[in-house]
Amino acid sequence: MKQVHAVLVFFSLFNLHGFLFGVEIGSAKSEEDKRMDTVRYGTETEIAALIQTLKGENAELMDKNLEAELIAVSQNTRNQNILTGLLGFFADRTKSGLEDRALRAIEERDDEAHPTVLAAINYLGKVNAVEAVPHLEALLDANEERYMDAAFRALGRAAKGNAASDQTADYLIDFFSNRNPPDQNRREIVIAIGETGSKAGIELLSDIAGNPDERPAVRTAAVEALSKIGDETGLNPILGTLSAEDPNLRSSAVAALGPFSGKAVDDAILESFRDSYYRTRIAASKASGERQLAAAVPYLRYRAEYDEVPTVKDEAIKALGAINNADSKAVLDDLFSNRKISDRVRMLSAEMLISNDAGMYAERVIAEMEDAQKRNQKALYSGFLKAVSAAKTGKVEDLARRFLNTGGVIEKSYALDMTLTNEFRTLAPEIRLLLDDKNGSLARKAKATLEKLGMPAS
């Protein structure tokens, strides 16, 4: 009897140990393994939740095996929600791999859900899938109105920068000129012509831009398309719209000047700072930055200090950073140093200064960041921290080490950015302490940082 009791006790302990061992093994699964299981066995709701999580993460951090598994799922699934979600996710990240499945969705569109077909069309455009050009043209020739706008946009993008661009532009020009498309399609066709980048579209686009009887939305699209093509023969039609009555057309015309050069262009940009429509002033700021227009510095300073629209101030500061000469640096320094000016202006000015000369400004920004923390100015602290995290200089190594040792999750994440940007390999021991899976995305970022630096994880 005692022997039987001993055997029962042994088996009970064995089963308990096995149960506990199983729990331990199950809980030891890495985050990547759990995600793979979700893709392989999960419901559409679970996979959709995973995609939403992935959307919030750095595209470069996605596990390659997981990416391959997602592609495999797209090839085989008949679940419309999963397929639509995957097409949208890969389109947002301009990742190839789903071209064949997207083409199949277009060819078999009568058997696919409407949102899936639209997602497939959009995907093919986003990844510049030149092989999709004949399929998209066939779709447009079928005159299925529910897909027309999306197909025009995708067609222009798919043909951009390759041997199909001129032929595709000719197809779109013919469609606009000879097939009498409805008003809702005309603007999309004009946009698509610009997307091809083909000079074949300049004549038609110029006529549209200069036609006062054409709808402003279509004229605006023509101006933007001429800018995308960027050929000098398209400049005069753009300049001609700077005095248009429609404010959106005026602002679009200023924005379209970026790729062009010459005194007439410079003068037009400077004059646009006086426009009462705020979008035109934004466009003037952006164009000044793109052209590094030194003559715009006093205009930009005035806008950064006094404009009533915060977005105009932002774009003026960014333009000063882009110009990056002695005068613009002095303006940014004044804006950053002035504690009486708005936090928003100071933070963005700090970003510009550090992006242009981190060695000169990193320590000053760190000092202001620490002062903001002492004063419990949380927004200002966060803004300066963001600026410092992008600094390419050895002067942030001590800060990165301190954050890795004692900072919160956000500080540790920024410390990893500093480490990778400056290749602080001496911080590897501190980074390895973050590799525990319980740290979630921070652990994945730490692992990726070590890999990019060519450092072992242990």
Side-chain angles (χ1 to χ4, degrees):
M1 189 67 182
K2 288 182 179 179
Q3 289 179 327
V4 172
H5 179 71
V7 170
L8 290 173
V9 169
F10 171 78
F11 277 108
S12 297
L13 291 172
F14 179 82
N15 289 335
L16 178 60
H17 177 267
F19 171 76
L20 293 174
F21 181 76
V23 170
E24 182 180 346
I25 293 298
S27 63
K29 275 193 174 183
S30 69
E31 184 67 23
E32 285 78 10
D33 289 338
K34 293 175 184 176
R35 290 180 171 193
M36 291 286 279
D37 285 349
T38 298
V39 175
R40 289 168 177 158
Y41 316 118
T43 66
E44 64 182 59
T45 303
E46 291 163 343
I47 293 176
L50 173 59
I51 290 174
Q52 284 301 119
T53 300
L54 293 172
K55 282 182 177 181
E57 297 177 358
N58 189 324
E60 295 181 2
L61 299 182
M62 187 164 75
D63 183 79
K64 295 300 180 184
N65 292 328
L66 178 63
E67 182 179 327
E69 194 69 31
L70 289 170
I71 292 172
V73 167
S74 76
Q75 300 300 322
N76 301 314
T77 185
R78 298 300 300 178
N79 186 298
Q80 301 297 328
N81 292 331
I82 292 176
L83 180 56
T84 303
L86 288 173
L87 287 166
F89 174 65
F90 274 68
D92 290 343
R93 298 191 169 201
T94 60
K95 279 189 172 292
S96 59
L98 304 188
E99 290 88 340
D100 290 344
R101 185 63 185 91
L103 288 172
R104 195 162 87 236
I106 293 175
E107 293 301 306
E108 301 172 1
R109 58 187 176 274
D110 290 339
D111 299 322
E112 300 277 8
H114 177 61
T116 302
V117 179
L118 287 176
I121 294 169
N122 181 58
Y123 171 77
L124 292 167
K126 285 286 188 72
V127 298
N128 302 117
V130 65
E131 66 270 29
V133 167
H135 299 269
L136 293 168
E137 289 181 354
L139 178 59
L140 289 166
D141 290 339
N143 287 314
E144 293 189 52
E145 182 57 42
R146 56 184 177 159
Y147 299 127
M148 298 285 274
D149 282 353
F152 282 127
R153 289 193 297 271
L155 178 60
R157 290 170 178 166
K160 183 177 183 178
N162 55 57
S165 61
D166 289 342
Q167 182 179 348
T168 301
D170 288 337
Y171 172 87
L172 292 164
I173 291 166
D174 176 74
F175 208 113
F176 187 94
S177 303
N178 300 319
R179 300 203 198 179
N180 194 30
D183 284 345
Q184 63 263 33
N185 295 148
R186 287 164 59 84
R187 179 176 178 274
E188 297 300 334
I189 297 173
V190 170
I191 292 172
I193 293 172
E195 290 285 358
T196 67
S198 171
K199 295 180 182 179
I202 292 176
E203 182 178 354
L204 174 63
L205 295 172
S206 298
D207 290 342
I208 296 169
N211 183 0
D213 295 326
E214 183 61 83
R215 289 189 304 132
V218 179
R219 294 180 70 190
T220 297
V223 164
E224 292 170 350
L226 287 168
S227 180
K228 282 192 174 182
I229 295 172
D231 189 83
E232 289 293 327
T233 56
L235 174 57
N236 283 336
I238 295 173
L239 291 174
T241 59
L242 288 170
S243 57
E245 291 185 10
D246 185 82
N248 289 308
L249 180 53
R250 293 199 308 271
S251 64
S252 295
V254 178
L257 294 173
F260 302 100
S261 60
K263 186 176 184 303
V265 176
D266 293 350
D267 291 345
I269 292 170
L270 296 179
E271 187 60 28
S272 297
F273 280 108
R274 304 181 187 278
D275 197 299
S276 60
Y277 186 51
Y278 78 99
R279 290 189 184 279
T280 304
R281 301 196 300 278
I282 288 175
S285 298
K286 289 182 176 179
S288 298
E290 289 169 2
R291 296 169 52 77
Q292 295 186 306
L293 184 57
V297 170
Y299 294 85
L300 293 166
R301 175 169 195 152
Y302 186 88
R303 290 296 137 210
E305 288 186 304
Y306 302 115
D307 203 283
E308 62 185 4
V309 180
T311 313
V312 177
K313 291 185 175 186
D314 292 350
E315 294 303 332
I317 294 168
K318 291 176 185 177
L320 288 166
I323 292 171
N324 193 29
N325 63 12
D327 290 339
S328 66
K329 285 181 181 178
V331 173
L332 289 170
D333 195 317
D334 288 346
L335 295 173
F336 161 67
S337 303
N338 186 354
R339 292 187 176 181
K340 294 182 180 180
I341 210 163
S342 72
D343 289 354
R344 180 169 175 156
V345 168
R346 294 188 68 204
M347 291 186 296
L348 189 52
S349 297
E351 283 187 38
M352 297 302 104
L353 290 168
I354 279 186
S355 67
N356 288 328
D357 195 346
M360 174 70 73
Y361 290 102
E363 290 175 320
R364 283 182 57 191
V365 176
I366 290 172
E368 289 295 320
M369 178 188 77
E370 292 173 342
D371 182 76
Q373 187 177 38
K374 291 176 183 176
R375 296 169 181 264
N376 201 30
Q377 296 173 304
K378 295 180 180 179
L380 190 61
Y381 171 76
S382 297
F384 286 150
L385 173 57
K386 178 184 176 185
V388 170
S389 71
K392 191 171 180 59
T393 173
K395 293 181 179 180
V396 300
E397 184 172 4
D398 288 343
L399 179 67
R401 179 178 287 105
R402 172 154 57 89
F403 280 164
L404 288 171
N405 287 323
T406 61
V409 173
I410 294 174
E411 283 89 356
K412 283 182 169 65
S413 179
Y414 279 130
L416 292 173
D417 293 336
M418 298 179 219
T419 301
L420 185 58
T421 297
N422 295 284
E423 299 183 359
F424 293 147
R425 289 182 171 81
T426 56
L427 299 182
E430 286 86 350
I431 296 174
R432 292 189 185 105
L433 295 176
L434 305 178
L435 293 176
D436 193 318
D437 281 344
K438 70 181 181 182
N439 289 321
S441 61
L442 190 63
R444 292 191 294 275
K445 186 171 183 177
K447 179 183 177 183
T449 300
L450 290 171
E451 289 175 350
K452 290 175 182 178
L453 291 175
M455 305 288 288
S458 59

